[in-house]
Amino acid sequence: GDSVTQMEGPVTLSEEAFLTINCTYTATGYPSLFWYVQYPGEGLQLLLKATKADDKGSNKGFEATYRKETTSFHLEKGSVQVSDSAVYFCALRENAGGTSYGKLTFGQGTILTVHP
Amino acid sequence: GAVVSQHPSRVICKSGTSVKIECRSLDFQATTMFWYRQFPKQSLMLMATSNEGSKATYEQGVEKDKFLINHASLTLSTLTVTSAHPEDSSFYICSATPGAGGWSPLHFGNGTRLTVT
Protein backbone atom coordinates (compact mmCIF):
# COMPACT_ATOMS: atom_id res chain seq x y z
CA GLY A 1 0.00 0.00 0.00
CA ASP A 2 0.87 3.66 -0.06
CA SER A 3 3.24 5.03 2.56
CA VAL A 4 5.09 8.21 3.43
CA THR A 5 8.30 8.43 5.42
CA GLN A 6 9.56 11.66 6.93
CA MET A 7 12.83 12.40 8.62
CA GLU A 8 12.58 11.98 12.32
CA GLY A 9 12.47 15.03 14.49
CA PRO A 10 12.39 17.09 16.41
CA VAL A 11 14.32 19.64 14.42
CA THR A 12 15.64 22.66 16.29
CA LEU A 13 17.06 25.62 14.40
CA SER A 14 18.07 29.19 15.01
CA GLU A 15 16.21 31.95 13.26
CA GLU A 16 17.35 32.54 9.67
CA ALA A 17 18.82 29.04 9.38
CA PHE A 18 18.19 26.84 6.36
CA LEU A 19 15.56 24.14 6.73
CA THR A 20 15.26 20.78 5.04
CA ILE A 21 12.75 18.14 6.04
CA ASN A 22 13.10 14.97 4.03
CA CYS A 23 10.12 13.06 2.73
CA THR A 24 10.01 9.93 0.61
CA TYR A 25 7.01 7.98 -0.52
CA THR A 26 5.83 4.66 -1.87
CA ALA A 27 2.79 4.56 -4.12
CA THR A 28 1.38 2.23 -6.72
CA GLY A 29 0.02 4.95 -8.96
CA TYR A 30 0.79 8.59 -9.68
CA PRO A 31 -0.02 10.49 -6.53
CA SER A 32 -0.25 14.13 -5.71
CA LEU A 33 2.10 15.19 -2.91
CA PHE A 34 1.43 17.65 -0.14
CA TRP A 35 2.99 19.36 2.83
CA TYR A 36 0.66 20.29 5.67
CA VAL A 37 1.50 22.38 8.71
CA GLN A 38 -0.07 22.12 12.14
CA TYR A 39 0.48 24.96 14.57
CA PRO A 40 0.14 24.24 18.31
CA GLY A 41 -3.44 23.45 19.26
CA GLU A 42 -4.76 23.87 15.73
CA GLY A 43 -5.87 21.73 12.84
CA LEU A 44 -4.07 21.15 9.57
CA GLN A 45 -3.33 23.77 6.98
CA LEU A 46 -2.20 23.02 3.47
CA LEU A 47 1.25 24.52 3.00
CA LEU A 48 2.00 23.51 -0.57
CA LYS A 49 1.38 20.78 -3.11
CA ALA A 50 2.59 19.27 -6.36
CA THR A 51 0.45 17.14 -8.62
CA LYS A 52 2.95 15.64 -11.04
CA ALA A 53 6.61 14.83 -11.46
CA ASP A 54 9.01 17.81 -11.54
CA ASP A 55 6.34 20.18 -10.25
CA LYS A 56 7.54 22.58 -7.57
CA GLY A 57 5.12 23.66 -4.88
CA SER A 58 5.85 26.86 -2.99
CA ASN A 59 4.24 29.02 -0.35
CA LYS A 60 5.40 31.40 2.39
CA GLY A 61 9.03 30.86 1.46
CA PHE A 62 8.73 27.08 1.64
CA GLU A 63 9.20 24.95 -1.43
CA ALA A 64 9.30 21.30 -2.41
CA THR A 65 9.90 19.57 -5.73
CA TYR A 66 8.17 16.35 -6.79
CA ARG A 67 11.02 13.98 -7.70
CA LYS A 68 9.63 10.82 -9.23
CA GLU A 69 13.06 9.29 -9.85
CA THR A 70 13.89 9.41 -6.13
CA THR A 71 10.26 9.23 -4.92
CA SER A 72 10.89 12.27 -2.77
CA PHE A 73 9.27 15.57 -1.88
CA HIS A 74 11.68 17.30 0.49
CA LEU A 75 10.57 20.53 2.14
CA GLU A 76 12.99 23.46 2.17
CA LYS A 77 13.09 27.02 3.37
CA GLY A 78 16.06 29.31 3.06
CA SER A 79 15.56 31.32 6.24
CA VAL A 80 13.23 30.12 8.98
CA GLN A 81 11.43 32.32 11.46
CA VAL A 82 10.24 31.69 15.00
CA SER A 83 6.69 31.73 13.66
CA ASP A 84 7.51 28.67 11.53
CA SER A 85 7.64 26.53 14.66
CA ALA A 86 5.04 23.83 14.07
CA VAL A 87 4.58 20.21 13.07
CA TYR A 88 5.02 19.50 9.37
CA PHE A 89 3.37 16.55 7.66
CA CYS A 90 4.20 15.17 4.27
CA ALA A 91 1.29 13.40 2.59
CA LEU A 92 0.27 11.75 -0.63
CA ARG A 93 -3.02 11.27 -2.35
CA GLU A 94 -3.74 8.89 -5.18
CA ASN A 95 -5.26 10.44 -8.28
CA ALA A 96 -7.16 7.36 -9.24
CA GLY A 97 -10.05 9.11 -10.89
CA GLY A 98 -13.64 8.51 -9.99
CA THR A 99 -13.06 5.23 -8.22
CA SER A 100 -10.88 6.76 -5.57
CA TYR A 101 -12.13 8.71 -2.59
CA GLY A 102 -8.81 10.49 -2.63
CA LYS A 103 -7.86 9.83 0.95
CA LEU A 104 -4.59 11.20 2.25
CA THR A 105 -1.77 9.09 3.59
CA PHE A 106 0.37 11.03 6.05
CA GLY A 107 3.94 10.77 7.17
CA GLN A 108 4.64 10.68 10.87
CA GLY A 109 5.20 14.41 11.17
CA THR A 110 8.29 16.43 12.02
CA ILE A 111 8.32 18.87 14.89
CA LEU A 112 10.18 22.07 14.05
CA THR A 113 11.24 24.50 16.74
CA VAL A 114 12.91 27.77 15.75
CA HIS A 115 14.70 29.78 18.40
CA PRO A 116 15.31 33.54 18.19
CA GLY B 1 -11.65 29.80 0.53
CA ALA B 2 -13.60 26.74 1.47
CA VAL B 3 -14.27 26.38 5.17
CA VAL B 4 -14.87 23.31 7.26
CA SER B 5 -16.18 23.90 10.74
CA GLN B 6 -15.66 21.31 13.45
CA HIS B 7 -17.49 21.47 16.75
CA PRO B 8 -16.75 21.32 19.60
CA SER B 9 -13.10 22.28 19.60
CA ARG B 10 -12.62 20.74 23.03
CA VAL B 11 -14.72 18.37 25.07
CA ILE B 12 -14.21 16.63 28.37
CA CYS B 13 -16.48 13.74 29.24
CA LYS B 14 -16.72 11.02 31.84
CA SER B 15 -15.88 7.44 31.10
CA GLY B 16 -18.88 5.53 29.80
CA THR B 17 -20.64 8.49 28.22
CA SER B 18 -20.98 9.24 24.50
CA VAL B 19 -19.68 12.27 22.69
CA LYS B 20 -20.76 13.64 19.32
CA ILE B 21 -18.44 15.67 17.10
CA GLU B 22 -19.81 17.62 14.16
CA CYS B 23 -18.07 18.46 10.93
CA ARG B 24 -19.74 20.97 8.63
CA SER B 25 -18.78 22.28 5.23
CA LEU B 26 -19.86 25.91 5.28
CA ASP B 27 -19.61 26.98 1.66
CA PHE B 28 -19.56 23.83 -0.40
CA GLN B 29 -21.31 20.49 -0.60
CA ALA B 30 -19.12 17.75 0.79
CA THR B 31 -19.61 14.56 -1.16
CA THR B 32 -17.01 12.81 0.94
CA MET B 33 -15.75 13.40 4.46
CA PHE B 34 -12.83 11.77 6.21
CA TRP B 35 -12.30 11.31 9.92
CA TYR B 36 -8.79 11.17 11.33
CA ARG B 37 -7.42 10.54 14.78
CA GLN B 38 -4.16 11.95 16.04
CA PHE B 39 -2.37 10.72 19.14
CA PRO B 40 0.07 13.05 20.91
CA LYS B 41 3.21 13.62 18.85
CA GLN B 42 2.04 11.16 16.21
CA SER B 43 0.68 11.31 12.73
CA LEU B 44 -2.92 11.38 11.61
CA MET B 45 -4.49 8.00 11.19
CA LEU B 46 -7.49 7.69 8.92
CA MET B 47 -10.42 6.19 10.80
CA ALA B 48 -13.13 6.17 8.19
CA THR B 49 -14.42 7.62 4.96
CA SER B 50 -18.02 8.70 4.74
CA ASN B 51 -20.10 9.49 1.69
CA GLU B 52 -23.38 11.31 1.91
CA GLY B 53 -26.30 8.95 2.18
CA SER B 54 -24.30 5.75 2.52
CA LYS B 55 -22.57 3.80 5.23
CA ALA B 56 -19.08 4.84 6.24
CA THR B 57 -16.08 2.77 5.21
CA TYR B 58 -13.90 2.08 8.22
CA GLU B 59 -10.18 1.44 8.18
CA GLN B 60 -8.86 -1.81 9.50
CA GLY B 61 -8.77 -1.91 13.27
CA VAL B 62 -11.34 0.84 13.82
CA GLU B 63 -14.41 -0.33 15.73
CA LYS B 64 -17.46 0.76 13.76
CA ASP B 65 -19.77 0.16 16.71
CA LYS B 66 -17.68 2.42 18.89
CA PHE B 67 -17.07 5.22 16.41
CA LEU B 68 -20.42 5.89 14.77
CA ILE B 69 -20.29 8.04 11.67
CA ASN B 70 -23.32 9.64 10.09
CA HIS B 71 -23.19 11.64 6.88
CA ALA B 72 -26.85 12.49 6.51
CA SER B 73 -26.48 15.61 4.40
CA LEU B 74 -24.03 17.12 1.96
CA THR B 75 -22.86 19.63 4.57
CA LEU B 76 -22.75 17.63 7.78
CA SER B 77 -21.02 14.54 9.07
CA THR B 78 -20.97 13.48 12.70
CA LEU B 79 -18.66 11.20 14.64
CA THR B 80 -20.05 9.76 17.85
CA VAL B 81 -17.66 8.13 20.28
CA THR B 82 -19.85 5.71 22.20
CA SER B 83 -19.13 4.55 25.75
CA ALA B 84 -15.95 6.57 25.78
CA HIS B 85 -12.94 5.41 27.76
CA PRO B 86 -9.72 7.23 28.68
CA GLU B 87 -7.89 5.50 25.83
CA ASP B 88 -10.23 7.26 23.41
CA SER B 89 -8.75 10.58 24.46
CA SER B 90 -7.25 12.02 21.32
CA PHE B 91 -7.41 14.77 18.74
CA TYR B 92 -10.02 14.06 16.08
CA ILE B 93 -9.89 15.90 12.76
CA CYS B 94 -12.32 15.82 9.88
CA SER B 95 -11.73 16.76 6.29
CA ALA B 96 -14.21 17.27 3.49
CA THR B 97 -14.12 17.33 -0.26
CA PRO B 98 -16.73 18.32 -2.83
CA GLY B 99 -15.79 15.52 -5.21
CA ALA B 100 -15.14 11.82 -5.16
CA GLY B 101 -11.96 11.67 -7.18
CA GLY B 102 -8.36 12.16 -6.13
CA TRP B 103 -8.23 15.58 -7.80
CA SER B 104 -10.94 17.06 -5.66
CA PRO B 105 -9.57 19.48 -3.04
CA LEU B 106 -9.55 18.54 0.61
CA HIS B 107 -10.40 20.97 3.37
CA PHE B 108 -9.69 20.31 7.05
CA GLY B 109 -11.52 21.26 10.18
CA ASN B 110 -9.60 22.62 13.16
CA GLY B 111 -9.99 19.43 15.13
CA THR B 112 -11.63 18.37 18.39
CA ARG B 113 -9.61 17.60 21.50
CA LEU B 114 -11.44 14.83 23.38
CA THR B 115 -10.47 14.09 26.97
CA VAL B 116 -12.16 11.21 28.73
CA THR B 117 -11.81 11.18 32.51
Side-chain angles (χ1 to χ4, degrees), chain B residues 47-49 55-70 78-82:
Chain B
M47 299 174 66
T49 303
K55 290 183 178 180
T57 302
Y58 289 82
E59 295 299 302
Q60 193 172 8
V62 177
E63 298 176 61
K64 61 179 66 177
D65 293 331
K66 180 168 187 62
F67 298 100
L68 300 179
I69 292 173
N70 186 306
T78 59
L79 167 66
T80 302
V81 183
T82 62

Side-chain angles (χ1 to χ4, degrees), chain A residues 38 43 93 97 100-101 103 107, chain B residues 34 38 43 51 59 100-101 104 110:
Chain A
Q38 184 179 31
R93 192 178 181 203
S100 169
Y101 292 121
K103 62 187 179 185
Chain B
F34 303 91
Q38 185 182 28
S43 188
N51 290 283
E59 295 299 302
S104 184
N110 280 336

Side-chain angles (χ1 to χ4, degrees), chain A residues 1 5-6 18 22 25 28 31 35-36 38 41 44-45 50 62 64 66 68 81 87 90 92 94 96:
Chain A
T5 302
Q6 285 179 239
F18 184 85
N22 289 339
Y25 68 91
T28 54
W35 276 100
Y36 283 87
Q38 184 179 31
L44 289 180
Q45 298 178 28
F62 292 90
Y66 189 141
K68 188 178 178 182
Q81 305 299 313
V87 184
C90 185
L92 71 79
E94 287 286 2

Side-chain angles (χ1 to χ4, degrees), chain A residues 34-84:
Chain A
F34 303 83
W35 276 100
Y36 283 87
V37 58
Q38 184 179 31
Y39 296 102
E42 298 184 13
L44 289 180
Q45 298 178 28
L46 176 64
L47 181 59
L48 53 85
K49 68 177 182 182
T51 58
K52 62 183 187 297
D54 299 326
D55 269 2
K56 177 185 283 188
S58 61
N59 185 28
K60 299 181 180 180
F62 292 90
E63 57 182 37
T65 301
Y66 189 141
R67 301 287 188 200
K68 188 178 178 182
E69 63 276 16
T70 55
T71 61
S72 65
F73 193 55
H74 305 322
L75 181 69
E76 296 182 337
K77 186 174 184 181
S79 176
V80 294
Q81 305 299 313
V82 173
S83 57
D84 293 327

Side-chain angles (χ1 to χ4, degrees), chain A residues 18-34:
Chain A
F18 184 85
L19 169 70
T20 298
I21 301 178
N22 289 339
C23 171
T24 57
Y25 68 91
T26 302
T28 54
Y30 302 94
S32 291
L33 301 175
F34 303 83

Side-chain angles (χ1 to χ4, degrees), chain B:
Chain B
V3 177
V4 172
S5 174
Q6 199 172 329
H7 178 79
S9 58
R10 293 177 180 272
V11 58
I12 301 172
C13 71
K14 292 186 177 180
S15 186
T17 61
S18 295
V19 174
K20 181 184 284 188
I21 301 169
E22 293 186 347
C23 181
R24 293 182 184 272
S25 57
L26 298 184
D27 54 0
F28 66 98
Q29 293 186 326
T31 303
T32 306
M33 287 187 173
F34 303 91
W35 287 95
Y36 290 86
R37 180 175 181 177
Q38 185 182 28
F39 291 99
K41 298 184 179 180
Q42 294 189 29
S43 188
L44 285 82
M45 302 302 297
L46 180 65
M47 299 174 66
T49 303
S50 74
N51 290 283
E52 186 267 337
S54 62
K55 290 183 178 180
T57 302
Y58 289 82
E59 295 299 302
Q60 193 172 8
V62 177
E63 298 176 61
K64 61 179 66 177
D65 293 331
K66 180 168 187 62
F67 298 100
L68 300 179
I69 292 173
N70 186 306
H71 193 164
S73 79
L74 282 171
T75 58
L76 174 64
S77 176
T78 59
L79 167 66
T80 302
V81 183
T82 62
S83 187
H85 293 285
E87 57 265 30
D88 298 324
S89 298
S90 192
F91 193 57
Y92 294 87
I93 303 177
C94 73
S95 68
T97 179
W103 295 105
S104 184
L106 274 174
H107 307 285
F108 282 85
N110 280 336
T112 297
R113 173 75 60 193
L114 170 63
T115 303
V116 184
T117 61

